Amino acid sequence: PLPRLPSNFAQLVHLTTLHLSQYAFSKLPTCILALPALTTLDLSHNQLETLWTPDDVGTRGVSPPNILPSLSTLDLSYNRLKTSALVPMPTSLEHLSLKHNVLQHPIPMDVLYPAKRLQELVLAENELSDVVFALNGTSFALPHLRVLDVRATQVASVSYTHHTLPP
C-alpha cells in the first residue's frame, strides 16, 4: 500500500483523473482537496473511515464550497464509511458511489444538498432501511437525480425523515 501521497502532489493543478483504488488509505489525503481541475476521483477499495474535516480544509486554504471545485465523479465504494463520516459533497458532483460501506442511518440531506448537479447516487450493499434520507432542516432537492441504486439493502420503498442522526 501507498502510505501517503508526496507533499508536492497538490502542485498537480492540471490533473483531471486520479485513481487511488486499493491503497489502504483510512483517511482521504488532504493534498487532493485543492486540486482545481480534478473531475474524477476513485478511492474505492481502501479502508476509508473519514473523508475531510474543517481543519483539513482550512489547512489547504480551501473554503468548503470550493473543495474539489471541478469534481464530477467520486467513487468511495468498498470502504468503511459510516453515515456519520459523510461530509458535504462538492458542488459540481454528478456521480457518487458509496456502495458497500457501513452506512446504517439515513443519509443527511445537508451532505448531498450542495451537490445540486447529482445525477447518480449508488448506496447499494449498505445496511440502509426504508428511510434513506434525513432532511435535517434542508429541503429535499436533488433536481437532477436520475439513478438511485439501493440494491442489496433493506430498502423496499424510498422515504425520508425530519429526524437527526443519533450520535
Side-chain angles (χ1 to χ4, degrees), residues 25-162:
F25 288 119
S26 61
K27 186 173 187 278
L28 182 126
T30 59
C31 61
I32 294 172
L33 294 177
L35 292 174
L38 195 64
T39 59
T40 302
L41 177 57
D42 181 354
L43 286 161
S44 64
H45 297 274
N46 277 287
Q47 297 172 17
L48 292 177
E49 294 180 3
T50 64
L51 294 174
W52 53 83
T53 67
D55 288 342
D56 295 334
V57 174
T59 302
R60 290 288 159 196
V62 180
S63 63
N66 298 322
I67 294 170
L68 299 164
S70 300
L71 194 68
S72 65
T73 301
L74 178 57
D75 188 348
L76 297 169
S77 58
Y78 294 90
N79 278 287
R80 298 177 180 173
L81 293 169
K82 295 180 180 179
T83 308
S84 59
L86 299 179
V87 295
M89 292 292 126
T91 57
S92 57
L93 199 62
E94 296 177 3
H95 307 278
L96 173 61
S97 180
L98 291 163
K99 178 181 181 176
H100 201 285
N101 275 279
V102 286
L103 305 177
Q104 295 177 319
H105 302 289
I107 308 299
M109 279 307 294
D110 54 350
V111 164
L112 299 174
Y113 192 73
K116 294 189 187 300
R117 298 179 191 173
L118 194 64
Q119 296 176 25
E120 179 182 26
L121 177 59
V122 180
L123 300 171
E125 300 177 28
N126 281 287
E127 297 177 32
L128 295 170
S129 67
D130 281 354
V131 179
V132 178
F133 301 109
L135 296 183
N136 298 0
T138 64
S139 60
F140 189 78
L142 292 172
H144 300 287
L145 191 65
R146 302 292 178 257
V147 176
L148 176 61
D149 184 349
V150 291
R151 288 176 288 173
T153 65
Q154 297 174 13
V155 175
S157 66
V158 177
S159 62
Y160 58 89
T161 180
H162 288 279

